[in-house]
Amino acid sequence: DGGITQSPKYLFRKEGQNVTLSCEQNLNHDAMYWYRQDPGQGLRLIYYSQIVNDFQKGDIAEGYSVSREKKESFPLTVTSAQKNPTAFYLCASDFPGANVLTFGAGSRLTVL
Amino acid sequence: GENVEQHPSTLSVQEGDSAVIKCTYSDSASNYFPWYKQELGKGPQLIIDIRSNVGEKKDQRIAVTLNKTAKHFSLHITETQPEDSAVYFCAASNSGAGSYQLTFGKGTKLSVIP
């Protein structure tokens, strides 16, 4: 079945450590996205990529980094510069212009 | 930029009753309005969308209405069932710009009481 796989589902991190969240899709989608979800908040865009080897900052990119070396993969690194990293992170993908996002099941990051 | 307000933040209904969730948007250039449903422990899933050239769209028990003049759109769920319990997000964008332009509301947690 086609879809988006995010891993790990749960992750604990000590303050000052970087952590990388994985996102893999087999939908042949060109565009991929990272969103952050906090309780009672909407989905806020962190980074997006519409083509391999190119990505753009979203609304809340500070303290995060991404790479897009392969069409299928769009990993997100939460760096120690992110002041409040505890959140639920969602990866999504679509064809550019399709406006129909397919989401993964999410990764919950807790900073201890 | 676009601003999307969503109300209510929580909604409880008896099974079989109707549920209505309302959203307002600020950018008159927005012309695409999707609704996503997020079940517990899962990512959101598109359930219905509407474009600004229509006023209403139905899909079985769910419907969305759009009032461009007032800049608001609503999700209607009839004959609610326990499996409708979830968090619902509205969003707005200019469809020509791509999904990265989507602005989401803060979500409504719907609880359907058996």
Side-chain angles (χ1 to χ4, degrees):
Chain A
D1 289 338
I4 296 181
T5 301
Q6 289 188 241
S7 62
K9 192 171 181 66
Y10 299 96
L11 186 61
F12 297 88
R13 187 195 92 177
K14 292 183 180 180
E15 282 192 25
Q17 291 180 336
N18 292 354
V19 62
T20 297
L21 307 181
S22 171
C23 177
E24 302 279 333
Q25 56 99 358
N26 61 2
L27 299 165
N28 200 34
H29 285 165
D30 295 296
M32 298 186 74
Y33 312 80
W34 275 104
Y35 289 90
R36 172 177 171 144
Q37 184 177 14
D38 295 286
Q41 299 294 318
L43 306 176
R44 293 183 290 169
L45 184 63
I46 304 173
Y47 267 99
Y48 66 97
S49 168
Q50 295 190 291
I51 195 170
V52 174
N53 292 322
D54 186 55
F55 48 83
Q56 306 295 328
K57 292 182 178 180
D59 301 319
I60 56 166
E62 184 176 353
Y64 299 98
S65 66
V66 293
S67 63
R68 187 84 186 278
E69 297 177 0
K70 297 188 302 182
K71 186 175 183 177
E72 302 79 18
S73 179
F74 191 39
L76 173 74
T77 297
V78 184
T79 75
S80 56
Q82 169 51 234
K83 295 179 181 179
N84 186 20
T86 294
F88 189 57
Y89 292 89
L90 286 161
C91 180
S93 69
D94 72 356
F95 291 112
N99 285 296
V100 180
L101 290 169
T102 299
F103 284 89
S107 293
R108 185 169 299 281
L109 171 64
T110 302
V111 175
L112 305 173
Chain B
E2 176 65 276
N3 182 49
V4 176
E5 300 282 344
Q6 182 172 348
H7 299 280
S9 57
T10 60
L11 179 61
S12 292
V13 299
Q14 293 288 334
E15 182 177 355
D17 288 350
S18 296
V20 180
I21 303 170
K22 299 180 180 181
C23 290
T24 60
Y25 62 99
S26 61
D27 189 350
S28 56
S30 290
N31 58 8
Y32 175 66
F33 308 93
W35 286 87
Y36 284 82
K37 174 184 180 182
Q38 185 178 27
E39 298 177 352
L40 194 63
K42 297 183 179 180
Q45 183 176 11
L46 178 71
I47 55 171
I48 195 168
D49 56 15
I50 191 168
R51 300 181 187 273
S52 59
N53 56 344
V54 298
E56 183 176 6
K57 183 177 180 180
K58 290 183 179 180
D59 184 3
Q60 299 182 355
R61 295 186 297 107
I62 61 173
V64 58
T65 58
L66 172 65
N67 184 327
K68 280 200 68 179
T69 303
K71 293 183 188 170
H72 66 72
F73 55 111
S74 300
L75 178 70
H76 304 256
I77 306 174
T78 59
E79 301 174 11
T80 54
Q81 301 170 3
E83 52 264 38
D84 295 327
S85 295
V87 178
Y88 292 80
F89 292 98
C90 63
S93 77
N94 183 322
S95 63
S99 295
Y100 65 89
Q101 287 269 3
L102 276 172
T103 299
F104 287 87
K106 292 187 176 181
T108 296
K109 184 177 181 180
L110 173 64
S111 299
V112 179
I113 304 166

